[in-house]
Amino acid sequence: MLTTGPRGTRDVLPGESGFWQYVEAVARDTCRRFAYREIRTPIFEHTELFLRGIGETTDIVEKEMYTFCDRGNRSLTLRPENTAAVVRSFLEHKLYSEPMPVKLYYIGPMFRYDRPQAGRYRQFHQFGIEAIGAKGPAIDAEVIVLAEEFLHTLGLRDLDLKINTVGCPACRPQYRQALREYLAGKLEHLCQDCRTRYERNPLRVLDCKEEQCSRQITDAPKVVDHLCRDCAEHFAGLQELLTAAGVKYELAPRLVRGLDYYTNTAFEIQYPPLGAQSAVCGGGRYDGLIEECGGVPTPGIGFAIGLERVILALEKQNLLPASDLAVDVFFAPLGAAALPAAFRLLTRLRAAGLVCEMDFLGRSLKGQLKHAARCQAKYVAILGENELTAGKILLRDMRTGEQRLVDLLEGENSLLAEVRA
Ligand code: HAM
């Protein structure tokens, strides 16, 4: 047990952390170009926030939350997603007093008690954005274009963007009724969960992953055929803007998403080669969430992208950058007497910005050169007794194998000049 992490968690090992830094840097730069600012909220929140925000009939709330009581007997939950927490923070810190829309992004771990498999974990990481305070379709289009821009900057190809609308409180009851009537004759063919969903929230049936249920919904009524005028106009406006921006999309009339806060626009970006976990990005509009959390009615829209899945897709397309740390100068002091001079120069070169490494195990010169090669060192600075008495260091160019004696006093400058040349 002590040598195995909890099921559904992963260690990002040194060989992989460069991939994460790269993907996160592209996310940050994309947000900068679209004028989104970072927000960092806590890893845990009051359980009530997610019950109210995400919805009591969702899989996340019913089956997947990590909920615990702290020593003060408060019910807390590790965040399964971050939209509700961003809204909580928006209200708590009165971010609504800033010019609207307030455009925010986050990168961090989320927690869901899911069945782990490739691309699905219990602790996973999302890059997400939330744009709060604008209701027209232009902000929906911006949010979708940002997701696309991030994925394209990474070089990913063969992604499918699917969009839908899930209506609003004005038109959804009528749709819900139509769906219920359609499902009424099929109840015996639905899974146990969906029979309960039929009673409590029939839209959730459209989102069920069980094959027996997906078979039953192929001819189900579509939300788009039951929209009020505002929702229909909003959806048409979004499509016009996506086309204007040159974004290719597919209409997905059964896409409802697994969280209850969505209104109007819902979308996903999928990378089909990831199989069952092909959803790389999911998002949508949540015009009722801020009021539900105690604020004045304020519209919002956002998405979250699963970074583990992005890295899996990059790996499949051979797009991950080389992650090795190449050393500029490897110091090879030979004997205890040479160590202080080597250490002094090493410290100064590091302060000047070079990547420096040294031998810590007292290896022989041959062993040190071998280790330097493993570190992909460009130069090895050898300091032996002879060099030290002559006030010199022996500088070996690892690419050519050439060796030169360099004045120790001027060593710093000449090494800097050599490496930077
Ligand atoms: P979501 O669809 O639940 O939406 O999650 C978004 C993305 O997170 C998924 O498309 C997937 O890439 C990744 N993801 C979800 N669960 C897991 C898991 N167990 N393991 C690995 N990756 C996972 C949300 O979370 C909403 N908060 C998105 C949003 C923001 N809507 C509006 N604003």
Side-chain angles (χ1 to χ4, degrees):
M1 278 299 264
L2 287 182
T3 53
T4 318
R7 194 162 132 77
T9 64
R10 294 177 70 247
D11 297 313
V12 175
L13 297 174
E16 294 170 279
S17 50
F19 307 153
W20 283 81
Q21 288 165 7
Y22 163 66
V23 168
E24 288 167 10
V26 172
R28 290 179 196 287
D29 185 63
T30 311
C31 287
R32 185 186 58 78
R33 286 186 280 134
F34 283 69
Y36 283 68
R37 294 169 303 153
E38 186 178 14
I39 183 163
R40 300 187 188 196
T41 57
I43 301 281
F44 57 86
E45 296 277 348
H46 295 297
T47 302
E48 183 65 21
L49 175 69
F50 300 119
L51 298 185
R52 293 271 291 275
I54 298 173
E56 306 217 15
T57 60
T58 59
D59 277 0
I60 296 184
V61 166
E62 281 184 344
K63 305 178 188 168
E64 297 172 3
M65 295 210 302
Y66 279 93
T67 297
F68 58 96
C69 269
D70 72 2
R71 287 169 194 274
N73 219 17
R74 299 170 198 91
S75 180
L76 300 172
T77 294
L78 297 183
R79 60 184 187 189
E81 61 102 53
N82 212 25
T83 308
V86 168
V87 164
R88 192 268 308 141
S89 180
F90 172 85
L91 293 172
E92 181 172 343
H93 302 287
K94 302 186 174 54
L95 299 188
Y96 44 77
S97 56
E98 295 184 4
M100 298 277 193
V102 174
K103 306 204 301 186
L104 306 165
Y105 81 89
Y106 48 85
I107 298 174
M110 309 292 154
F111 307 84
R112 294 184 194 174
Y113 191 78
D114 237 334
R115 200 158 7 103
Q117 51 186 277
R120 196 204 273 170
Y121 310 98
R122 290 183 175 167
Q123 174 172 336
F124 59 98
H125 296 78
Q126 286 185 341
F127 153 45
I129 70 166
E130 311 296 345
I132 302 176
K135 72 176 174 18
I139 195 77
D140 303 33
E142 173 175 283
V143 163
I144 293 175
V145 171
L146 193 157
E148 291 266 305
E149 177 65 18
F150 165 69
L151 297 165
H152 290 161
T153 305
L154 291 170
L156 285 172
R157 299 171 306 273
D158 307 327
L159 299 165
D160 298 332
L161 165 63
K162 303 194 169 175
I163 63 169
N164 191 25
T165 174
V166 293
C168 70
C171 53
R172 205 179 303 153
Q174 193 214 355
Y175 173 65
R176 196 180 285 133
Q177 188 51 32
L179 186 60
R180 215 178 243 136
E181 279 164 23
Y182 169 84
L183 291 172
K186 303 177 183 298
L187 282 184
E188 57 185 306
H189 303 294
L190 300 181
C191 73
Q192 194 53 50
D193 279 353
C194 279
R195 282 182 223 166
T196 320
R197 288 173 183 140
Y198 169 81
E199 297 296 338
R200 298 176 66 194
N201 188 352
L203 260 77
R204 291 268 73 83
V205 177
L206 300 179
D207 196 39
C208 182
K209 304 287 177 288
E210 296 293 330
E211 212 192 309
Q212 64 185 101
C213 300
S214 12
R215 242 182 285 132
Q216 297 306 318
I217 57 159
T218 41
D219 297 320
K222 298 175 180 162
V223 197
V224 277
D225 298 328
H226 295 262
L227 295 178
C228 61
R229 206 163 125 200
D230 281 355
C231 285
E233 278 176 12
H234 188 94
F235 197 43
L238 168 64
Q239 292 179 59
E240 190 184 359
L241 289 170
L242 289 179
T243 306
V247 173
K248 289 206 175 60
Y249 61 87
E250 212 179 290
L251 297 179
R254 310 222 190 286
L255 179 76
V256 288
R257 312 256 316 116
L259 302 100
D260 276 353
Y261 49 61
Y262 290 116
T263 54
N264 287 318
T265 307
F267 65 96
E268 273 186 14
I269 301 177
Q270 293 174 355
Y271 178 57
L274 292 184
Q277 311 307 321
S278 64
V280 166
C281 169
R285 186 166 267 285
Y286 44 87
D287 290 349
L289 180 59
I290 288 157
E291 194 180 4
E292 182 68 38
C293 293
V296 298
T298 311
I301 178 162
F303 68 69
I305 289 179
L307 294 183
E308 282 80 2
R309 294 185 191 178
V310 166
I311 288 177
L312 280 172
L314 288 170
E315 201 179 344
K316 276 195 188 290
Q317 297 190 14
N318 236 341
L319 290 168
L320 287 171
S323 67
D324 291 323
L325 179 70
V327 164
D328 292 318
V329 186
F330 185 95
F331 280 83
L334 301 175
L339 186 58
F343 202 71
R344 178 186 140 90
L345 196 52
L346 164 95
T347 304
R348 293 175 70 125
L349 288 178
R350 280 177 170 163
L354 297 193
V355 182
C356 296
E357 182 56 292
M358 67 176 271
D359 173 58
F360 290 98
L361 299 187
R363 292 179 174 93
S364 65
L365 178 59
K366 197 171 153 210
Q368 296 205 42
L369 288 175
K370 214 164 131 192
H371 187 45
R374 242 186 276 130
C375 299
Q376 300 179 41
K378 292 184 198 139
Y379 289 90
V380 178
I382 303 166
L383 275 102
E385 250 172 61
N386 292 345
E387 286 82 16
L388 214 55
T389 26
K392 308 249 181 213
I393 50 174
L394 187 62
L395 196 60
R396 182 186 173 95
D397 184 326
M398 292 294 274
R399 278 162 295 194
T400 61
E402 250 174 67
Q403 300 198 144
R404 277 184 316 111
L405 267 181
V406 181
D407 194 11
L408 185 55
L409 295 174
E410 290 161 20
E412 182 178 338
N413 288 339
S414 71
L415 265 168
L416 273 172
E418 290 276 347
V419 172
R420 285 178 175 162

